[in-house]
Amino acid sequence: MSDDIEVKEQKDIDTAEQSTQSIEEPLLDKLNKSEIKLSGLIGTKVGMTQTIADDGKVIPTTVIKLGPCLALEKKVKKDKTSLKIGYQEAKPRLLTKSKLGYLSKLKVKPIKYVKEFDLLNPEVEITPGEEIKADIFKEGDIADVTSKSKGRGFAGVIKRHNFAGLRHTHGTPQNQRSGGSIGACAYPGRVWKGQKMAGRYGGKNSTIQGLKVLGIDLEDNLILIKGSVPGSNGSVVYVNHTRKG
């Protein structure tokens, strides 16, 4: 008889544990999922791959590890609410004293990159250090991606501006890759601003607009974007919801 009572008590305990687990799991998911909605996020370019569409087309795809970023501070300026976020943990000795003081005031670990994005739901409460992940994007969204383009050093006009060059026949001397004339004679007597000439090529902030989001991997915080984006593999990129349309 006592054995039957013990078995019954054990069954009651098991059913109670299962019921508490079923209640706690959605709550945990809700707590882990941030309700912050931003205009963009910071990430790292992983590299390029291919996506095969339903009709068999092969689409060149860029893989970006987007976040996780840390919420820092809400800012309100001229009826516009934005949020400062941080990305990529750093060693304290590599940061400036002003940045370390700012982060210590918010009680947040040292962070390398800090940037401000528009906060799309200004009513949400912000806790410094709260994680923001790639779920602010979804498949089918249109994004603008900004990053520092690859530096190619000092380049000539053919590589930098796609000039055709001179003919290689009929007595043309050995200057086929030269830029040619850069201005007129008496008028205007100077070189116009913006004249296409040889110079430093790349190594500047560049933005590609209107790129489609092909997919999201929330488990690994990856976002798949159609086409190429500026920067080399491992460079920091800023992915924004498009401002056009």
Side-chain angles (χ1 to χ4, degrees), residues 117-168:
F117 289 93
D118 292 342
L119 188 60
L120 303 180
N121 51 344
E123 70 283 352
V124 70
E125 290 190 11
I126 305 297
T127 305
E130 184 178 350
E131 279 195 349
I132 309 168
K133 298 186 178 180
D135 54 7
I136 68 167
F137 289 93
K138 63 180 184 298
E139 186 177 342
D141 285 350
I142 304 298
D144 300 338
V145 182
T146 302
S147 182
K148 191 174 182 180
S149 61
K150 291 180 182 178
R152 293 169 175 83
F154 194 95
V157 290
I158 290 179
K159 183 174 181 179
R160 194 182 187 209
H161 298 296
N162 298 316
F163 277 24
L166 304 180
R167 307 192 289 185
H168 287 251

Side-chain angles (χ1 to χ4, degrees), residues 157-158 164-169 171-181:
V157 290
I158 290 179
L166 304 180
R167 307 192 289 185
H168 287 251
T169 56
T172 303
Q174 298 300 308
N175 60 348
Q176 286 92 346
R177 295 180 67 88
S178 67
S181 174

Side-chain angles (χ1 to χ4, degrees), residues 214-229:
L214 297 176
I216 301 285
D217 183 356
L218 296 178
E219 189 175 341
D220 295 322
N221 259 3
L222 297 176
I223 181 172
L224 305 178
I225 290 183
K226 182 180 179 180
S228 60
V229 303

Side-chain angles (χ1 to χ4, degrees), residues 45 55 65 83 100 104 117 130 163 199 210 216 227 234 241:
K45 181 178 176 179
D55 57 359
K65 184 173 175 58
L83 179 67
L100 280 173
S104 63
F117 289 93
E130 184 178 350
F163 277 24
I216 301 285
H241 289 283

